[in-house]
Amino acid sequence: MNKVYKNASTAITGINDGAVIMLGGFGLCGIPENCIAALVSSGVKELTCISNNAGVDNFGIGLMLKQKQVKKMISSYVGENAEFERQLLSGELEVELIPQGTLATRCMAAGYGMPAIFTPAGVGTEVAEGKEIRVFNGKEYLLEYAFDADYAIVKAWKGDTDGNLIYKDTARNFNPLMAMAGKVTIAEVEELVPAGELDPNQIHTPGIYVHRIFKGEHYEKRIEQRTVKKVLSTL
Amino acid sequence: MLRFGGDNGMALSKEQIAQRIAQELKDGYYVNLGIGIPTLVANYIPAGINVVLQSENGLLGMGPFPFEGKEDPDLINAGKQTITTVPGSAFFDSAMSFGMIRAGKVDLTVLGAMEVSEQGDIANWKIPGKMVKGMGGAMDLVASAKNIIVAMMHVNPKGESKLLPQCSLPLTGKRCVKKIVTELAVVEVTENGFKLLERAPGVTVKEIVEKTAGKLIVEGDIKEMQF
């Protein structure tokens, strides 16, 4: 069993036109930068992308949108991307907007082997249109299905050669959920160590969920909203 | 000494709206603050009260912005702003984050709105025909939160009331808003419609009535907000 790949371009082998892929991250935080770059270089197209956001114009999934590689986006919030808006209004891009907790829990359901979940999010709104509603304890819930994705592409902080993963801070977000949910899961990590070096108590994603792992390079980690306090406040 | 008089004469500034909402906080509350005016509430947490701020991208115990040079791209809030943590904080994934919201563990949610109806319906995610950015976590929050306070301006830039008999925009959630704090008033959502609780210093009941399109119950003497 060898899960370790040399780099992003070898790790994304087999992702063909029309694939359904999950991409971890929240905004630009914890996104699989290396794999996105490799997908852009590969020219693969007609992709359905499940990701909380769609990147910005010149980074993240925005790079794939610019190359018109994405047929459909399934996201909760896509507000930072002018090219996205243009493709949406011109009809080039199909978009399904779903509540963020529903998105996360549909990933979780897939990873837990459950076909569906019930959630109150979206009851009484256009999100509920055409969906089955069940009442539990007097409250309405929508039936939402587990995602069915060909590939999940995630970014972790540390990983080992068995595919065990540890995430850092809020870069965790959707990554462990998507890691569980892909038929094939590809993880890129900042630090790749031999199996046995990570503390088993600290593992967020057990290696059983991870099929391919590689050490990513040149992480840019762009910040969308740089908000700071001045070191010396001028009173 | 607080100065009243933002852009609308005697009305509250956005900071003052946040300051009034902060008076609703109780010791030990877990609180989720939305983007915009709600974020400012964190600046006015009353002395002696400890609250834990939840950021739905996966953090309990959100702290203030970092000092310049200490920004960490791996540490952001749901508005994608660089932040810090406070002692006792915890990170988790997005499913657990919305799990604690859905399970009613978060005591108070403060969010902005484009419209609120007298039944407590809220619209804050979409304007048909214009760009649709998405609902993010708003639908999950309003569907499950025990206590929802809306922070918003009383009228829109066209001068039209945002407190309506029925929302005209696509809904984010139904019958969920408990209280609204605007630059003019504190309004409760009751079974029988909006109820005026407090008015901003110097603002008349008449002005609030004129700027509220939905049914507004005014009972007795309406006191001024205290700061």
Side-chain angles (χ1 to χ4, degrees), chain A residues 94-117:
Chain A
E94 197 184 330
V95 179
E96 187 179 340
L97 291 168
I98 60 182
Q100 194 175 129
T102 303
L103 182 75
T105 314
R106 289 175 68 188
C107 295
M108 190 194 79
Y112 277 57
M114 300 187 296
I117 57 153

Side-chain angles (χ1 to χ4, degrees), chain A residues 26-27 29-30 53 76-80 84-85 88 97-102 104-105 108 119-127 139 168-174 176-177 190 221-231, chain B residues 56-59 64-83 91-96 98-99 102 125-126 129-137 139-140 143-144 170-174:
Chain A
F26 183 97
C29 181
N53 312 92
S76 86
Y77 190 84
V78 292
E80 328 288 354
F84 185 98
E85 180 175 5
L88 178 60
L97 291 168
I98 60 182
Q100 194 175 129
T102 303
T105 314
M108 190 194 79
T119 177
V123 168
T125 77
E126 62 184 53
V127 166
K139 183 167 173 164
K168 182 171 167 285
D169 299 0
T170 55
R172 189 182 318 184
N173 55 64
F174 286 84
L177 305 162
E190 290 177 54
K221 295 195 182 182
R222 284 199 204 173
I223 292 173
E224 273 183 76
Q225 306 285 338
R226 187 180 299 275
T227 44
V228 295
K229 296 191 286 198
K230 296 283 181 201
V231 176
Chain B
E56 67 265 24
N57 57 319
L59 169 63
F65 297 148
F67 284 115
E68 207 167 354
K70 297 288 183 189
E71 315 90 280
D72 180 348
D74 290 331
L75 183 49
I76 63 168
N77 64 16
K80 287 128 187 165
Q81 297 170 312
T82 46
I83 48 154
F91 295 112
F92 35 84
D93 66 53
S94 301
M96 184 178 283
F98 286 96
R102 211 179 289 119
W125 76 282
K126 182 178 182 179
K130 297 194 177 174
M131 178 55 192
V132 179
K133 293 175 186 292
M135 67 290 281
M139 284 192 181
D140 308 89
S144 300
L171 293 185
T172 309
K174 282 184 83 84

Side-chain angles (χ1 to χ4, degrees), chain A residues 34-45:
Chain A
N34 281 244
C35 284
I36 290 170
L39 286 167
V40 169
S41 305
S42 79
V44 62
K45 54 188 191 296

Side-chain angles (χ1 to χ4, degrees), chain B residues 10-31:
Chain B
M10 300 306 285
L12 302 188
S13 65
K14 289 179 177 178
E15 282 76 13
Q16 288 162 336
I17 294 173
Q19 193 174 4
R20 175 60 191 82
I21 291 172
Q23 294 174 12
E24 305 285 318
L25 300 171
K26 293 194 172 71
D27 193 42
Y29 262 17
Y30 290 95
V31 181

Side-chain angles (χ1 to χ4, degrees), chain B residues 165-222:
Chain B
Q166 298 285 337
C167 292
S168 63
L169 295 168
L171 293 185
T172 309
K174 282 184 83 84
R175 295 180 178 275
C176 51
V177 176
K178 300 285 190 289
K179 205 175 262 187
I180 305 156
V181 179
T182 74
E183 79 281 21
L184 304 178
V186 179
V187 173
E188 187 184 4
V189 179
T190 72
E191 293 288 306
N192 303 312
F194 297 123
K195 184 177 178 189
L196 183 57
L197 297 184
E198 297 173 22
R199 56 195 172 83
V203 171
T204 62
V205 171
K206 181 168 172 283
E207 179 180 359
I208 297 164
V209 170
E210 283 168 1
K211 290 181 172 171
T212 305
K215 183 184 173 190
L216 182 67
I217 300 162
V218 183
E219 282 176 1
D221 192 29
I222 304 300

